[in-house]
Amino acid sequence: REGKGSADMTVPENQQRLKMGEFPRGARIIPNPFNRIPGFAIDHHYFLPGFPVMAWPMIEWVLDTHYSGLFHLRQVSERSLWAFEFAESAATPLLEALERDFPQIKSFSLPSAGEQGTRRHVELGVKGEPHAVDEAFARLLEGVRAVGVEFSFSAPPR
């Protein structure tokens, strides 16, 4: 029996691998630069093999090839800060008030337990129409300062 990775087509595993090249009638091929095992499309449905690292370049190709006209239809801005040793739940009322007072923005929060040696923190921010983002972020900053938590405008220190 041949070892792992053999090109011997009499090996049952390699016979099975040939099935990866079978596609439904009418399918369009989606190129795969990662390992050259393609995905395929039928109508507006896309089928991508493998792990996310393999699928990511294929979905980028689909978006760039078939949907690029939908990109950047309106200008969007985003601003955020990192609040240290601060519970995400404590920020929720402030974020809800921002969205109520500034309907042109969406707020976001992304907590971190301190992965990879960083301090425990929550990233708080707003995104949306640029003029509204500036005003909403000023209010977010005011709210964070009011509760007295330490914050930074750059990545959390280790």
Side-chain angles (χ1 to χ4, degrees):
R1 179 179 153 139
E2 292 291 321
K4 192 174 187 180
S6 166
D8 180 357
M9 295 313 295
T10 64
V11 176
E13 294 86 34
N14 287 340
Q15 298 265 324
Q16 280 296 112
R17 287 186 183 116
L18 286 175
K19 291 184 177 186
M20 288 191 281
E22 297 175 3
F23 299 99
R25 188 178 318 270
R28 297 179 322 279
I29 298 299
I30 299 171
N32 182 349
F34 187 85
N35 64 4
R36 298 171 27 124
I37 305 296
F40 67 93
I42 298 176
D43 298 323
H44 295 287
H45 302 281
Y46 302 94
F47 302 86
L48 309 175
F51 296 104
V53 69
M54 298 173 199
W56 189 257
M58 287 186 282
I59 200 63
E60 283 182 335
W61 180 89
V62 168
L63 292 171
D64 290 342
T65 302
H66 299 291
Y67 299 98
S68 63
L70 300 176
F71 298 167
H72 310 294
L73 295 177
R74 62 186 180 98
Q75 190 175 6
V76 175
S77 183
E78 179 178 313
R79 296 191 62 190
S80 65
L81 58 84
W82 287 264
F84 302 105
E85 309 301 327
F86 188 55
E88 183 179 27
S89 60
T92 302
L94 175 59
L95 298 177
E96 288 174 340
L98 289 173
E99 288 192 4
R100 182 189 64 242
D101 296 345
F102 299 94
Q104 312 89 334
I105 65 103
K106 292 290 180 193
S107 64
F108 60 89
S109 62
L110 181 61
S112 169
E115 296 85 9
Q116 301 172 348
T118 62
R119 291 173 58 196
R120 189 172 71 88
H121 63 278
V122 59
E123 182 181 4
L124 302 172
V126 293
K127 57 186 168 185
E129 295 180 15
H131 73 282
V133 163
D134 289 341
E135 290 181 52
F137 187 74
R139 178 95 57 85
L140 173 64
L141 188 53
E142 184 180 292
V144 168
R145 284 184 171 136
V147 296
V149 299
E150 183 184 349
F151 66 91
S152 172
F153 296 113
S154 59
R158 293 189 178 274

